Amino acid sequence: MISKNKFHILLSLFLILFSCTQEEEMVVELNASSTTLSFEAEESNKSITINSNSSWDIWSSDSWCKLSVKKATGDASVIITAEENKTGEERHATVTLAAEGASIITISVTQVQNIPVSTVNLYTDYIEPDNTNMRDLTALELSALMKVGWNIGNSLESINVSNGKYYGGETSWGNPSVTQQLIDSVKAAGFNAVRIPVSWSNHFQDEETYKINEGWMQRVEEIINYALSNDMFVIMNIHWDGGWMDHPYETNREEINNKLATLWTQIAVYFRDFDDRLLFAGSNEVHVENDWGTPSSENVSVQNSFNQTFVNAVRATGGRNAYRHLVIQAYNTNIDYAVNYLSMPEDNIDHKLFAEVHFYDPYDFTLQTDGNYKTQWGKNFSSDVSTWGQEDWVDEAFAKMKNNFTDKGIPVILGEYGATLRSSLESGLEEHIQSINDYLNYVTKAAIKNDLVPFYWDNGYTGNNGMGLFDRSTGEQIHKDAIQAIVSTVE
């Protein structure tokens, strides 16, 4: 028999041997699916897989290289994000992976430099001037053929902005896709021109070079053809587009003009073969962001430079664009600012430029939807009428444009006007509707009388606080009286 002491000795030896065997069998595993990663200059991320039978830590040597995980046990995925490289140089970081009992793994991260793009001439595709189907008409003569116009508002210019990124598309502001049936209905109602506000920055194939996705170009072309098939005139622009032009300061002049030239060069090349029924408009209501007041001389100078860049870019593409009629915007498309500050760009062809202004006076009747807004307008009403912006105001404003522009050979596009319907009124709705019809009729007549070409602003919404005239899905005339108030002015 084994004595008690010998038993304990044997048991101790067994436990020691067992423990050593276990320690020898416990091999820590640690692997990464990749040890080299390369990133472009723009912000992006990549995923690597960590395999381990133990706990591990991971960290980055540089703050621009961010990790989704810092510590874990077992297998896991780690997302490595490289922030946008604004340094102008290639940069490197090291990601370190470690676990007790395993060899350290280093992951080499490289991000290429952000090479500045000379965008002004990036997409230039010049061809010799071609006046085929470009009638020998001055802008003033062409304007006489344009009677009353209609805006496809809140459709192709729909764009959303989040953290400096642009997204959204044609239907993102609530309107259905534009159809041939809709434009057929607009023409049948008596309009012979369409203004197509367009956003482009949410349709870039390449955000670094401002390369526009060709599919979006094709969609815009499709809608232009809806109108041209009805023998209508078309004005196409760069609209608000997320507001990147609303910084008319010297510090932003070069950057904005660079982007503007790049976009208009692409647009002009793509639509170059269209005849003279298609007009380009450089921008929309450019102003200092959230400030609709009187511009400074700096603001005016920079905004006027945008207009010159637009003309230069379009003309530089040649072909029919050498003869195309172009529309130039006043600061914030305001009539007084047009008279006081608009300097028409230099052009290498005479009498092909229009000026553009908008008209929403008086604001408390046309656009204001909260607070002490007014529901009536004009000489036929008196109980809830604004103290300004009545018939004499309209006459005076449009006479300014005639005296300073059309009489000097520069026709004027009244690119937007209209009045909001407040159909939820508990009383006075009939008078309100009549006031809107009176307003639309008077403003349209006054515009035509002063040689302005009026384009009604239709935002697609026909209910309360809307300005829509047609059902965007079917083309049905929803507010026939308002439509008639506008088109009845045409002889």
Side-chain angles (χ1 to χ4, degrees):
M1 294 183 64
I2 300 174
S3 69
K4 189 174 182 180
N5 287 339
K6 288 182 178 180
F7 174 80
H8 284 296
I9 292 171
L10 290 173
L11 178 61
S12 297
L13 289 172
F14 174 79
L15 291 174
I16 291 170
L17 290 171
F18 179 80
S19 176
C20 290
T21 303
Q22 288 294 100
E23 287 179 3
E24 290 175 359
E25 292 178 355
M26 183 58 183
V27 178
V28 176
E29 297 177 359
L30 184 65
N31 295 288
S33 59
S34 178
T35 57
T36 58
L37 293 174
S38 297
F39 289 87
E40 296 300 319
E42 67 270 13
E43 180 174 322
S44 59
N45 55 66
K46 295 185 178 183
S47 178
I48 62 172
T49 300
I50 307 300
N51 298 115
S52 181
N53 61 354
S54 180
S55 60
W56 45 269
D57 296 277
I58 189 169
W59 62 92
S60 170
S61 63
D62 291 88
S63 60
W64 61 265
C65 180
K66 299 185 179 301
L67 310 176
S68 63
V69 174
K70 295 183 178 180
K71 181 187 291 286
T73 299
D75 299 341
S77 291
V78 178
I79 297 174
I80 299 178
T81 301
E83 295 181 340
E84 181 184 359
N85 186 358
K86 299 180 180 180
T87 66
E89 299 177 351
E90 183 176 277
R91 58 185 178 182
H92 303 269
T94 299
V95 172
T96 304
L97 176 65
E100 186 175 352
S103 298
I104 291 175
I105 296 174
T106 57
I107 301 166
S108 176
V109 179
T110 302
Q111 187 178 34
V112 300
Q113 68 183 115
N114 188 359
I115 302 174
V117 180
S118 179
T119 55
V120 173
N121 296 314
L122 184 63
Y123 300 103
T124 298
D125 184 11
Y126 176 79
I127 62 175
E128 289 300 314
D130 175 11
N131 63 2
T132 306
N133 295 324
M134 304 300 283
R135 290 166 287 185
D136 186 19
L137 298 174
T138 67
L140 204 58
E141 290 170 336
L142 188 75
S143 72
L145 305 177
M146 303 166 71
K147 303 302 182 181
V148 289
W150 177 83
N151 276 274
I152 314 178
N154 289 18
S155 286
L156 273 73
E157 85 276 26
S158 301
I159 184 172
N160 300 308
V161 185
S162 178
N163 296 323
K165 300 292 184 181
Y166 303 118
Y167 64 99
E170 183 177 350
T171 62
S172 63
W173 286 359
N175 281 321
S177 296
V178 178
T179 63
Q180 180 73 66
Q181 183 180 20
L182 172 63
I183 305 304
D184 291 349
S185 299
V186 172
K187 175 61 184 290
F191 297 90
N192 82 326
V194 172
R195 180 171 178 258
I196 307 178
V198 185
S199 281
W200 306 89
S201 292
N202 50 331
H203 298 283
F204 285 158
Q205 176 181 318
D206 185 341
E207 293 185 4
E208 291 297 317
T209 61
Y210 310 132
K211 174 67 174 175
I212 301 170
N213 187 300
E214 183 144 344
W216 182 240
M217 293 282 209
Q218 293 169 349
R219 176 56 179 157
V220 176
E221 179 183 19
E222 184 176 30
I223 295 172
I224 289 172
N225 282 324
Y226 292 163
L228 295 182
S229 67
N230 278 293
D231 196 24
M232 303 174 81
F233 290 94
V234 178
I235 297 176
M236 175 187 63
N237 75 357
I238 295 177
H239 209 66
W240 174 63
D241 205 35
W244 56 270
M245 277 184 277
D246 288 344
H247 306 279
Y249 299 107
E250 287 297 338
T251 54
N252 305 102
R253 180 193 289 256
E254 182 177 359
E255 178 185 3
I256 294 175
N257 277 313
N258 210 25
K259 180 174 180 178
L260 189 66
T262 305
L263 295 188
W264 268 117
T265 300
Q266 292 177 81
I267 297 165
V269 167
Y270 188 92
F271 296 98
R272 180 169 49 197
D273 293 336
F274 282 86
D275 62 36
D276 64 5
R277 293 173 298 168
L278 174 63
L279 293 78
F280 298 155
S283 58
N284 187 49
E285 299 172 348
V286 173
H287 61 283
V288 173
E289 188 174 24
N290 298 321
D291 182 356
W292 289 267
T294 303
S296 68
S297 58
E298 177 186 21
N299 300 150
V300 169
S301 173
V302 175
Q303 190 265 337
N304 278 329
S305 80
F306 300 164
N307 292 331
Q308 186 67 64
T309 292
F310 159 61
V311 172
N312 293 348
V314 173
R315 296 291 185 233
T317 63
R320 295 179 184 178
N321 289 336
Y323 305 94
R324 191 169 307 284
H325 296 273
L326 306 179
V327 184
I328 307 303
Q329 291 65 45
Y331 185 90
N332 201 23
T333 58
N334 176 283
I335 288 177
D336 284 332
Y337 299 161
V339 172
N340 295 328
Y341 307 120
L342 178 57
S343 176
M344 296 299 286
E346 294 182 5
D347 196 4
N348 57 16
I349 184 170
D350 294 332
H351 309 302
K352 296 292 184 179
L353 301 183
F354 288 69
E356 180 182 354
V357 292
H358 298 170
F359 188 78
Y360 289 109
D361 295 343
Y363 173 81
D364 53 5
F365 173 73
T366 61
L367 295 178
Q368 186 174 336
T369 57
D370 58 0
N372 188 30
Y373 60 77
K374 303 299 181 182
T375 62
Q376 298 175 6
W377 180 90
K379 62 184 180 182
N380 295 325
F381 299 92
S382 59
S383 63
D384 193 25
V385 177
S386 177
T387 57
W388 69 290
Q390 305 306 303
E391 289 93 342
D392 57 344
W393 181 277
V394 177
D395 294 338
E396 181 182 348
F398 293 171
K400 291 178 184 178
M401 295 306 297
K402 176 176 172 57
N403 294 336
N404 290 276
F405 291 91
T406 56
D407 285 351
K408 296 179 180 179
I410 304 170
V412 177
I413 298 295
L414 182 63
E416 296 180 18
Y417 71 105
T420 300
L421 173 67
R422 302 174 182 89
S423 59
S424 64
L425 289 174
E426 295 181 358
S427 63
L429 180 58
E430 184 177 343
E431 292 82 0
H432 175 58
I433 292 174
Q434 186 58 53
S435 291
I436 289 178
N437 295 340
D438 288 353
Y439 178 85
L440 296 179
N441 183 261
Y442 195 93
V443 171
T444 308
K445 279 183 177 178
I448 294 172
K449 177 183 176 181
N450 287 279
D451 300 324
L452 279 65
V453 184
F455 282 74
Y456 175 80
W457 178 258
D458 186 318
N459 64 6
Y461 184 52
T462 58
N464 187 50
N465 292 337
M467 297 175 73
L469 301 180
F470 298 85
D471 184 318
R472 288 286 180 95
S473 297
T474 66
E476 177 188 358
Q477 295 185 26
I478 300 301
H479 297 296
K480 295 182 180 180
D481 50 352
I483 293 172
Q484 191 60 29
I486 297 169
V487 300
S488 65
T489 60
V490 180
E491 297 178 357

